[in-house]
Amino acid sequence: MNIIVTGGAGFIGSNFVFHMLKAHPDYRIICLDKLTYAGNLSTLEPVMDNPNFRFVKADICDKEAVDKLFAEEKPDIVVNFAAESHVDRSIENPQVFLETNILGTSVLMDASRKYGVKRYHQVSTDEVYGDLPLDRPDMFFTESTPIHTSSPYSSSKAGADLLVLAYYRTYGLPVTISRCSNNYGPYHFPEKLIPLMIIRALHDESLPVYGDGLNVRDWLYVEDHCKAIDLIIHEGKIGEVYNVGGHNEMANIDIVKLILKELGKSEDLITYVTDRKGHDRRYAIDPTKIHNELGWLPETKFADGIVKTIKWYLDNEAWWQPIVSGEYQNYYEKMYGDK
Ligand code: NAD
Ligand code: TYD
């Protein structure tokens, strides 16, 4: 089985590459990644010499490069993680979100049609459903919750989802979509809440909490997400959407306090800052469908996963220090520039 994984040098994509090489030692995994600021090739160093792994630096919007790779590899499955993924950046500069997240998706699906890919899987987000009120803990996102986006990021992801379903209906492309809640774990880029707070707390820097800090996210350990996608690409029904989440709802401020406690740091570091524009209040997934149809259940509880994650950042300063200093962006040139 040949699987093209786009965005495999990013947070979830790299965890998925590791998961797949381990879970399916007979599969060939080809990672296509542009190495934007969010892609870090050093993350993939442990698998670079694996004969079942290939890395290709390319942009999913580049039709020629995508076509060449599909012609060479004749993939059975395509899993698209490649995206601009940070809400705050999308508020500053929406354009690149539309290019990568929507146009890039169409380029990948055109190639998937042309080369007869047996499954195109789109990695989407619960953010396409908009947000839920804080005072209605009984409400959850199901697969039939209407799409109702808030940020340029979530709108671009929703646009891609609609296009994926259109390719299924119009051309019969065999697609599946997963919409997952917030992930956390190793290799999470330090601009996102959890790694940002861990690293700033370690440096005794102020911790910027947006608004009142009461916004709620439904956190899932990244490995559980990877296992869900593995299940969906093998057993999921074509044309279907699967919500992925583990009923691990936490207010931002409680996460920040937990991190401070684990690191033995003072809550005085907490600084409330101006709220994010259009800030979604609460996300919460109902994972009944993937549980009933595919037997998926999250395995890592938040209380354990967050301790594991903090420990990972403590043990892996060599991974995040070059990111914080900006040095990691020279890594590709240094290692592969003349290859
Ligand atoms: P990330 O920002 O850490 O990584 C994105 C990767 O995509 C990077 O390696 C980057 O270099 C690559 N990339 C960006 N533009 C590209 C392009 N034009 N061509 C090729 N590669 C490109 O993102 P992540 O957090 O790992 O998220 C991966 C996917 O999962 C995204 O589609 C995101 O929308 C979705 N998702 C993320 C979360 C989350 O909590 N992080 C939750 C649900 C869904
Ligand atoms: P983030 O990790 O950016 O993920 P998303 O916006 O996709 O959910 O943010 C998670 C939550 O943390 C969100 O409610 C915004 C908040 N947040 C802060 O309070 N301070 C920060 O510095 C960041 C990056 C996020």
Side-chain angles (χ1 to χ4, degrees):
M1 186 87 86
N2 275 5
I3 305 189
I4 289 184
V5 176
T6 69
F11 165 43
I12 310 174
S14 61
N15 278 281
F16 184 73
V17 167
F18 298 146
H19 165 81
M20 292 301 282
L21 287 170
K22 207 165 146 200
H24 307 281
D26 52 331
Y27 286 11
R28 180 172 159 77
I29 307 293
I30 304 107
C31 168
L32 181 160
D33 198 298
K34 184 183 178 181
L35 298 181
T36 66
Y37 79 93
N40 185 351
L41 197 56
S42 76
T43 304
L44 294 171
E45 202 54 54
V47 293
M48 276 301 180
D49 292 332
N50 185 324
N52 286 340
F53 179 74
R54 177 182 175 198
F55 177 81
V56 177
K57 183 176 186 292
D59 185 338
I60 59 166
C61 300
D62 181 344
K63 281 180 203 288
E64 229 171 89
V66 167
D67 213 75
K68 183 168 171 283
L69 184 65
F70 277 59
E72 282 168 12
E73 296 290 350
K74 307 263 178 332
D76 300 285
I77 299 178
V78 174
V79 184
N80 181 25
F81 290 92
E84 287 293 332
S85 68
H86 191 40
V87 173
D88 292 323
R89 287 181 189 254
S90 82
I91 294 167
E92 294 306 314
N93 177 20
Q95 183 84 29
V96 66
F97 285 73
L98 309 187
E99 285 162 8
T100 290
N101 299 2
I102 303 178
L103 297 178
T105 296
S106 77
V107 169
L108 290 173
M109 289 195 297
D110 285 338
S112 298
R113 284 179 63 211
K114 183 169 169 188
Y115 290 95
V117 162
K118 293 188 209 70
R119 180 68 66 93
Y120 174 89
H121 182 75
Q122 178 74 2
V123 181
S124 186
T125 164
D126 61 356
E127 301 193 27
V128 302
Y129 298 121
D131 63 352
L132 297 163
L134 283 183
D135 60 358
R136 289 293 307 274
D138 57 311
M139 287 177 75
F140 297 94
F141 297 136
T142 71
E143 288 78 3
S144 52
T145 299
I147 283 182
H148 185 81
T149 54
S150 314
S151 70
Y153 163 67
S154 54
S155 307
S156 68
K157 293 296 289 185
D161 281 14
L162 294 174
L163 204 58
V164 171
L165 295 173
Y167 270 61
Y168 168 61
R169 167 109 185 221
T170 307
Y171 306 116
L173 184 72
V175 306
T176 38
I177 297 177
S178 51
R179 293 182 180 147
C180 190
S181 57
N182 286 58
N183 285 214
Y184 68 103
Y187 305 108
H188 203 177
F189 197 78
E191 68 184 348
K192 305 283 172 64
L193 179 77
I194 290 179
L196 183 89
M197 296 298 169
I198 296 172
I199 291 171
R200 289 187 68 88
L202 282 173
H203 291 136
D204 293 308
E205 289 169 340
S206 65
L207 307 187
V209 172
Y210 298 166
D212 58 13
L214 296 179
N215 301 62
V216 167
R217 299 291 182 265
D218 180 358
W219 294 93
L220 184 72
Y221 195 62
V222 63
E223 214 173 289
D224 282 324
H225 186 190
C226 295
K227 287 181 182 168
I229 295 172
D230 187 357
L231 261 180
I232 295 168
I233 59 177
H234 289 100
E235 295 170 35
K237 215 170 127 211
I238 283 166
E240 293 288 314
V241 174
Y242 293 91
N243 282 357
V244 184
H247 289 301
N248 269 314
E249 286 179 55
M250 294 280 293
N252 294 339
I253 189 65
D254 293 333
I255 293 187
V256 173
K257 286 182 178 168
L258 197 78
I259 290 171
L260 287 169
K261 192 163 163 239
E262 278 299 318
L263 294 176
K265 300 285 183 178
S266 162
E267 288 188 8
D268 291 346
L269 290 175
I270 295 172
T271 313
Y272 289 93
V273 299
T274 309
D275 208 355
R276 174 186 279 173
K277 291 188 183 86
H279 198 174
D280 280 336
R281 216 44 179 149
R282 170 177 170 249
Y283 302 144
I285 284 272
D286 176 352
T288 305
K289 177 173 170 178
I290 188 166
H291 175 58
N292 287 350
E293 289 188 16
L294 306 182
W296 178 87
L297 273 179
E299 290 165 25
T300 301
K301 290 199 176 66
F302 187 78
D304 301 329
I306 191 73
V307 172
K308 246 197 311 192
T309 302
I310 293 171
K311 185 171 179 329
W312 188 88
Y313 279 88
L314 287 172
D315 293 343
N316 289 277
E317 188 171 342
W319 180 80
W320 55 261
Q321 194 57 51
I323 296 178
V324 174
S325 73
E327 200 193 308
Y328 75 110
Q329 285 183 309
N330 303 325
Y331 182 88
Y332 182 84
E333 276 309 310
K334 207 170 82 197
M335 302 298 288
Y336 301 94
D338 56 353
K339 286 188 188 159

